[in-house]
Amino acid sequence: MKIDIVEMTPTKAQFVITDANPAFANALRRTLTADVPKMAIENVEFHLGPIMDEKGIAFESISPLFDEIVSHRLSLIPIPTDLETLNFRAKCSCGGEGCPNCTIMYSLNKKGPCMVYSGDLEPIGDTKLRIKDDLIPIVKLAEDQALLVYATAELGTGKQHAKWQGAIGAGYRYFAKIEIDQAKCDVGGSCVKVCPKGVLTKEDKKIVVKHPEKCNLCGSCMEVCDAGVIKVVPVSTKLLFRFETDGAMPAKDILIRGLKILEERFEALREQISTLEE
Ligand SMILES: [Zn+2]
């Protein structure tokens, strides 16, 4: 099996898997969405009672939304995740109490009237842990309203809750094998016009397959060809795989971790099978 990267940005990955099969691509898809860990806010503590500002003016700790909804919104904010240094809280050397190796603490202190954004979450400690996507609206506070919360983020997986899902919109499709019988082709060009993806072009008085990677196997070119000389066949051993991220960690890190998890699983299976053979 071989992986060729087509596009790799922090929030998007696209690559071609060759000498593989759909079962493997699906295993990778499931691993990326359900098993690669990510940080997300799991505990939120709300301050109750009046909140005083610097001038001694009292604000009511209340917002137009229920605390549960505010907590839910906070939990969906992408939290910067470094998989190299972070541990699952339950498996951390601190025994689950919470330490910089397994938890990130944030505080949020806003007084109305104002809009509270994700960027208002202040990390307690390392400023590198500030929220990158800082304009996600959380709640709009009216006059005399205030919000003072402490939120704790920890590692989890998409299997537990979608807020911990690393890869988003992961999917794959077959590559197309497009064959044109040049000897019988009348170069009418209707196939070039009908293709919604611009796969075919007319060059030097013949139809050429210019971008086979863009073909979505719709078959319009085959339908429109009067001479019946185009053949589009899906290739199940060559797959175009893509996924996106919410920016919590780079797409590359998610892919590397996903492949590592799969490798460990196959290794465990191999060991179990070898004991059966003995
Ligand atoms: Zn810890």
Side-chain angles (χ1 to χ4, degrees):
M1 198 193 78
K2 207 174 133 213
I3 290 181
D4 291 303
I5 306 293
V6 178
E7 187 187 358
M8 187 64 83
T9 69
T11 55
K12 205 173 167 194
Q14 203 176 159
F15 49 90
V16 178
I17 309 175
T18 31
D19 300 330
N21 56 53
F24 177 81
N26 197 38
L28 181 62
R29 182 188 67 82
R30 294 178 70 120
T31 308
L32 292 178
T33 48
D35 301 316
V36 175
K38 199 188 86 168
M39 290 300 268
I41 288 173
E42 170 69 349
N43 289 302
V44 183
E45 266 178 53
F46 286 83
H47 174 88
L48 302 173
I51 299 166
M52 310 296 267
D53 73 355
E54 310 82 53
K55 292 175 194 151
I57 300 166
F59 288 75
E60 207 180 345
S61 45
I62 194 166
S63 80
L65 296 178
F66 291 119
D67 290 354
E68 289 87 343
I69 298 175
V70 174
S71 307
H72 183 248
R73 287 190 169 191
L74 291 173
S75 76
L76 296 172
I77 294 171
I79 305 289
T81 304
D82 181 2
L83 288 179
E84 290 298 314
T85 55
L86 290 161
N87 307 319
F88 280 101
R89 195 167 178 175
K91 291 178 188 165
C92 187
S93 55
C94 68
E97 270 182 43
C99 72
N101 294 328
C102 65
T103 51
I104 305 174
M105 284 274 287
Y106 289 93
S107 70
L108 196 161
N109 190 355
K110 290 288 279 186
K111 292 166 190 82
C114 71
M115 187 65 156
V116 180
Y117 291 101
S118 51
D120 294 321
L121 281 171
E122 296 283 346
I124 298 173
D126 197 344
T127 50
K128 271 189 267 169
L129 300 169
R130 283 194 77 91
I131 311 292
K132 285 182 209 144
D133 221 335
D134 56 0
L135 283 175
I136 304 170
I138 307 298
V139 61
K140 194 173 182 179
L141 298 177
E143 192 108 23
D144 300 329
Q145 295 185 337
L147 194 62
L148 174 57
V149 302
Y150 291 96
T152 313
E154 59 179 76
L155 274 188
T157 60
K159 212 185 263 176
Q160 297 166 269
H161 193 289
K163 67 180 178 182
W164 280 305
Q165 192 175 316
I168 292 147
Y172 56 89
R173 64 170 171 77
Y174 293 169
F175 244 76
K177 192 172 148 203
I178 306 165
E179 283 171 355
I180 302 171
D181 191 343
Q182 298 291 358
K184 289 183 193 163
C185 181
D186 59 3
V187 203
S190 52
C191 54
V192 178
K193 279 184 216 142
V194 82
C195 178
K197 298 285 176 184
V199 174
L200 306 166
T201 80
K202 205 170 171 179
E203 268 176 24
D204 301 330
K205 289 180 187 161
K206 65 178 189 178
I207 306 295
V208 182
V209 184
K210 186 99 181 189
H211 296 289
E213 77 284 355
K214 287 187 183 167
C215 179
N216 63 357
L217 300 158
C218 72
S220 305
C221 53
M222 287 196 285
E223 276 169 34
V224 85
C225 180
D226 299 327
V229 295
I230 302 187
K231 225 167 102 185
V232 181
V233 196
V235 186
S236 63
T237 53
K238 191 173 178 186
L239 304 137
L240 181 71
F241 197 108
R242 58 182 146 207
F243 69 89
E244 290 180 20
T245 80
D246 63 2
M249 53 184 160
K252 192 179 163 191
D253 289 10
I254 296 178
L255 179 61
I256 291 171
R257 178 56 74 100
L259 290 168
K260 213 182 256 177
I261 293 171
L262 267 186
E263 197 180 355
E264 281 164 13
R265 270 197 205 144
F266 286 134
E267 192 53 48
L269 183 67
R270 201 199 325 262
E271 270 172 35
Q272 283 172 9
I273 290 173
S274 67
T275 55
L276 287 176
E277 282 169 350
E278 277 164 17

